[in-house]
Amino acid sequence: MAIFVILFLVLFLILIFQIIRLIYFAIKKKELSKEVKKTCIVFLCNIFAFILVGITVPESTKNAIKKEEELKKKAKEAKETKKKVDKEKKQVKLASQDDLKYEVLKNSRDTSNLTKKENTIDILVKDNISEENLKKVMRKAGKEQIKDADILFIRAYGDKKFFNLGGETHGMITYYPDGTVKNETYTAKKEIPSDKEKDIYIDYSKTLHETLKSKGNYTKQEEENIEEKINKKIAKKYGISPEEVEKIFDKVVIYQGM
């Protein structure tokens, strides 16, 4: 654009110079009439105006194009932002729906109660489920699983590894056919042990339980000696120190809610 303007000016300057020169000689020799002189002057003014427009129009056009590009850019950014927000909302909604899914691990009936039908179900929920969604999913399970029972006890677990280990990890409620909920206990987890930490805890607990069971009678000191021996055995098995085994044990005990 700049080169074009320069060439444009050079050409017109040459033209103007020639015209001025022509008029000069014509006036000096008095060979042109007043009307012709007037026409030449107007012609010169028009040429100057044309040059001025030729310089200013491209600049204004450039500004207009730049402004239009900026508006398009802002519109595109706004569209992308809206698209991103909508996507995040959709993901949150899907995640929330996923939290409300559960798996029935066991459904049993207590036949000792001859007056009422009492059922107990153990369900698996997401390990990192929030307390709000934990309440929702347990009530949902109650509504869907109550069927012909008069009372339904619902126990929730976040990991199948802890099923039948003694105590539900994520809570328990008592559900009735009319939707009433009693004895509510919800234990959503703030910190979840890794799979390896869970395995170490379960391995330690089962080994200790089986060892003490096989021994039968034992003193407090004997129990402590057995615990220390198993601690070292588990530490060696998993390539960690006995102190780390103790820390993992305490961490998982808190997770299990014991």
Side-chain angles (χ1 to χ4, degrees), residues 2 72 79-80 96 112 131 152 157 159 164 169 189 228 252:
K72 286 182 179 179
K79 187 177 180 181
E80 289 177 351
S96 180
S112 63
E131 185 170 328
L152 180 62
Y157 300 82
D159 194 319
N164 285 333
T169 61
K189 307 304 176 183
E228 185 178 351
V252 182

Side-chain angles (χ1 to χ4, degrees), residues 197-205 249 252-253 256 258:
E197 289 173 332
K198 290 177 181 178
D199 290 339
I200 291 172
Y201 170 83
I202 292 171
D203 197 352
Y204 177 92
S205 299
F249 183 87
V252 182
V253 165
Q256 196 176 8
M258 294 180 67

Side-chain angles (χ1 to χ4, degrees), residues 2 22 113 155 179 193 202 214 219 233:
L22 177 63
N113 191 333
R155 298 183 298 205
I202 292 171
S214 63
T219 64
K233 181 181 178 181

